[in-house]
Amino acid sequence: MKTASMAASLLIPLCLCILLLRGASAVSDQQEAGRRDSCDRIDRRIRALEPTRRVDSEAGHTELYDDRDGQLPCAGVAAARITIQRNGLLLPSYSNSPRLAYIVHGRGIVGVVIPGCPETYQETSSSSSQEQEDDERRRRGRRGDEERRRSSEGEEEEEEEETSRRSFEQSIRDEHQRITTVRQGDVVAIPAGAPFWVHNDGDSPLVAISVHDVSNSANQLDQTSRRFRLAGGQARSEGRQRYGEGESSESETERGGEESYNILSGFDTELLAESMRVSPDIARKLQGRSDKRGNIVRVRRGGLRMLRPATERVTDEEMMRGANAAAAAGNGIDEAVCLMKLRENVADPMKADLYTPNGGRITVLNSQKLPVLKLIKMSVNRGVMRRNAILAPHWNINAHAAVYATSGSARLQVVSSEGRRVFDGELRRGQMVVVPQSFAVAGRAGDEGFAWVSFQTSDGAMNAPVVGKSSALRGMPADVLANAFGVSREEARMVKFGRGQELAIFSPKSGAAARRRRSPGHRDDGVLAAPA
């Protein structure tokens, strides 16, 4: 009996382990099957995506792009457009997947907290004279109150207590991790699990398009972008049904949306208060159960007070101080990780990698230019095309691309492996379309020109042009092309060299170019007349 009992006790945990492994495997298989189904459907139809859900807050809103037609799940990404009004604060949160954000309009401040790294912005005793005067006034007031209550018997003990309290107050001046100023055209990388916040300190709304890589290896959950908020209360949401009227709509919480409380609200209030050494009243405020302001709140009068360098660039001295602090902390985190650059501007025409004077330009941002992208495993292309310019036919070698139009419009065509045109339509400002890996794409800018930003699911994304310099056809012998296409050798040479030395973006026909030169809105600097 005893032997049988021991055997049973050993079998139970073994069976549980087998069940858990089967369950995990089943979930993984379901996710992979769902993604395969999405990519199967994408062979039949691709469409330009508009935001379909909106989450309103006190000082801004978040618009979410729908993923139910399979385009975004096939690419393994999720997308949202965030608008922060003047003096608004996007509350701290973190996500299960890394993201790249492109600043479409406005300027502001972004703070990203890298877990395990020290606070490299530190307020010392040499703070502003105004703060010192305020502190001294408060100390004098407290000292006067204490003196009136003080008795002659315990005067020396209370004096020591006052000195100790004053020393404590001086020792907790503010400190925090590095903050970054952002402006239109900046790309910001935010690793998975890293809390971040954004403040709009400009004079106009701050608008950003954000793309999450939910298929990234850093995400061990399902193929859903989930935001874990560290502050704020319940958000108000609005959903717009765009499919069959009889189709049920899932809740925001079930779809990983915004309608939820912050993570502190789930803890017992007394436990939270004791863990932070604060009163239960303060703990209840942190939980935000009665906070109705949403995910973006208005900063109180007076604005945010924080430590900021005098210039936008971090000096060598500041970098060394941060590296020394990381080494002194002894936390095993390489100072290169703690101080890694998270932002790069891709709107500057002088940073263009590909440029055609009468066509436009493309700026490539990969992990060689911004090393943090090797951790994010994403990259960005930023393009600007003049009116009627042509985006050369090409395909993405090793990545999917989520293309977001920031200005103007273009007619794009996407072709599948079967030679089927799965997308043939206009992509306008604010819309997004997914171009799957290896699908061929080409396009023509509209009368207002076209500007876009492309989020790619590889930190070293590459594409292969079909025609033009350094293209697939240019690299083949003329006789191979002649026999492959059934044309003469002269015609094959025209195919190879028809675009001369042009790369990526081709200039329009001479008639279209002449019309562009006569246009009063035209500027001869390779930049769209419309705001990008």
Side-chain angles (χ1 to χ4, degrees):
M1 287 288 291
K2 188 174 182 180
T3 304
S5 177
M6 290 179 62
S9 64
L10 290 173
L11 281 173
I12 290 173
L14 181 61
C15 292
L16 288 174
C17 288
I18 292 173
L19 287 173
L20 288 173
L21 289 172
R22 281 189 172 181
S25 177
V27 171
S28 177
D29 290 345
Q30 288 175 0
Q31 292 176 3
E32 185 62 28
R35 186 168 176 177
R36 283 198 304 268
D37 290 344
S38 298
C39 289
D40 287 343
R41 291 199 302 272
I42 212 168
D43 269 337
R44 298 194 295 270
R45 179 176 65 94
I46 294 177
R47 64 185 182 87
L49 300 175
E50 299 269 7
T52 55
R53 289 179 290 153
R54 174 172 169 142
V55 181
D56 288 313
S57 299
E58 179 187 54
H61 59 268
T62 303
E63 298 167 286
L64 305 173
Y65 284 81
D66 197 8
D67 57 6
R68 283 180 291 183
D69 69 345
Q71 292 183 64
L72 295 177
C74 175
V77 300
R81 186 167 60 211
I82 303 168
T83 301
I84 306 173
Q85 299 298 333
R86 180 181 177 183
N87 208 29
L89 174 67
L90 178 65
L91 296 178
S93 67
Y94 63 90
S95 176
N96 60 315
S97 55
R99 75 169 73 182
L100 290 180
Y102 176 80
I103 308 301
V104 179
H105 179 75
R107 64 181 179 88
I109 303 169
V110 176
V112 181
V113 180
I114 306 299
C117 292
E119 294 75 25
T120 53
Y121 281 27
Q122 300 168 349
E123 188 174 12
T124 65
S125 57
S126 59
S127 300
S128 66
S129 58
Q130 182 62 45
E131 292 182 7
Q132 290 179 350
E133 292 175 5
D134 293 344
D135 290 344
E136 185 61 31
R137 274 198 300 271
R138 285 193 292 270
R139 284 198 295 270
R140 284 200 299 266
R142 286 194 297 268
R143 191 181 303 117
D145 294 339
E146 290 293 334
E147 287 175 354
R148 284 190 292 271
R149 293 195 301 267
R150 196 177 283 163
S151 64
S152 58
E153 188 176 23
E155 187 169 343
E156 291 185 1
E157 291 81 358
E158 292 184 4
E159 182 67 31
E160 290 178 1
E161 183 181 347
E162 171 66 16
T163 303
S164 176
R165 181 166 59 246
R166 191 182 311 162
S167 175
F168 175 73
E169 289 174 352
Q170 291 176 350
S171 69
I172 58 171
R173 293 183 182 275
D174 196 19
E175 61 180 20
H176 53 76
Q177 287 194 19
R178 181 162 50 110
I179 60 175
T180 303
T181 58
V182 296
R183 59 186 174 89
Q184 180 177 331
D186 279 349
V187 174
V188 183
I190 303 174
F196 77 100
W197 53 268
V198 183
H199 173 52
N200 180 358
D201 63 349
D203 298 326
S204 61
L206 173 63
V207 182
I209 180 73
S210 174
V211 174
H212 296 249
D213 183 9
V214 295
S215 62
N216 191 282
S217 59
N219 176 22
Q220 298 296 302
L221 297 175
D222 54 13
Q223 296 291 303
T224 302
S225 175
R226 298 179 184 273
R227 173 175 293 177
F228 297 82
R229 295 188 292 153
L230 289 171
Q234 189 175 20
R236 303 179 299 276
S237 66
E238 295 179 4
R240 295 200 298 271
Q241 192 77 16
R242 295 195 54 166
Y243 297 89
E245 293 184 1
E247 186 177 348
S248 61
S249 176
E250 297 175 286
S251 70
E252 295 285 335
T253 303
E254 291 171 347
R255 295 178 58 82
E258 304 287 340
E259 189 173 328
S260 58
Y261 292 99
N262 75 64
I263 60 173
L264 301 181
S265 67
F267 293 111
D268 177 75
T269 303
E270 293 295 332
L271 175 61
L272 184 63
E274 186 174 354
S275 66
M276 293 186 172
R277 283 191 176 179
V278 297
S279 68
D281 288 340
I282 294 178
R284 276 188 284 272
K285 290 180 181 179
L286 298 178
Q287 292 177 315
R289 290 172 179 165
S290 59
D291 190 344
K292 303 299 183 184
R293 296 177 299 168
N295 195 41
I296 307 171
V297 303
R298 185 167 290 107
V299 173
R300 289 177 289 190
R301 184 175 298 179
L304 291 181
R305 295 173 59 185
M306 65 186 72
L307 303 176
R308 300 176 63 180
T311 63
E312 184 175 329
R313 296 180 180 273
V314 179
T315 66
D316 293 342
E317 181 182 351
E318 289 167 331
M319 294 291 283
M320 289 181 64
R321 183 179 65 197
N324 292 337
N331 55 19
I333 301 296
D334 187 352
E335 55 266 26
V337 175
C338 293
L339 295 175
M340 59 186 173
K341 186 179 179 183
L342 301 177
R343 173 186 61 85
E344 183 65 43
N345 190 277
V346 292
D348 186 350
M350 297 304 295
K351 294 183 179 180
D353 295 284
L354 303 170
Y355 175 60
T356 302
N358 294 322
R361 66 178 189 269
I362 294 178
T363 303
V364 178
L365 182 62
N366 54 30
S367 58
Q368 299 203 4
K369 292 184 178 179
L370 190 63
V372 69
L373 296 182
K374 197 167 188 66
L375 176 65
I376 301 292
K377 293 182 173 59
M378 297 179 70
S379 58
V380 166
N381 283 356
R382 161 72 174 170
V384 178
M385 296 169 62
R386 291 186 179 278
R387 62 165 62 186
N388 300 317
I390 297 172
L391 180 64
H394 66 278
W395 70 89
N396 298 319
I397 295 175
N398 59 341
H400 300 295
V403 182
Y404 177 82
T406 61
S407 182
S409 64
R411 182 187 176 185
L412 294 184
Q413 295 182 352
V414 180
V415 179
S416 71
S417 59
E418 298 175 350
R420 180 185 303 162
R421 196 181 304 164
V422 294
F423 178 77
D424 184 2
E426 186 180 40
L427 188 68
R428 301 185 304 274
R429 179 178 182 176
Q431 291 182 326
M432 176 178 288
V433 69
V434 171
V435 180
Q437 176 191 7
S438 298
F439 280 44
V441 58
R444 182 191 295 275
D447 289 338
E448 297 178 355
F450 181 58
W452 77 95
V453 58
S454 175
F455 299 87
Q456 299 173 100
T457 58
S458 170
D459 61 284
M462 300 180 291
N463 64 60
V466 177
V467 295
K469 187 173 175 60
S470 301
S471 67
L473 299 185
R474 188 77 165 257
M476 298 180 188
D479 274 3
V480 171
L481 298 181
N483 284 275
F485 295 121
V487 297
S488 68
R489 180 177 295 179
E490 290 71 23
E491 290 171 329
R493 289 179 60 83
M494 292 175 60
V495 171
K496 283 189 64 171
F497 302 108
R499 274 295 170 178
Q501 303 301 309
E502 289 183 303
L503 274 169
I505 297 179
F506 297 158
S507 56
K509 293 180 181 179
S510 57
R515 288 195 301 273
R516 182 183 64 251
R517 285 194 295 269
R518 290 195 297 268
S519 172
H522 169 66
R523 300 189 309 179
D524 193 23
D525 57 0
V527 181
L528 286 174

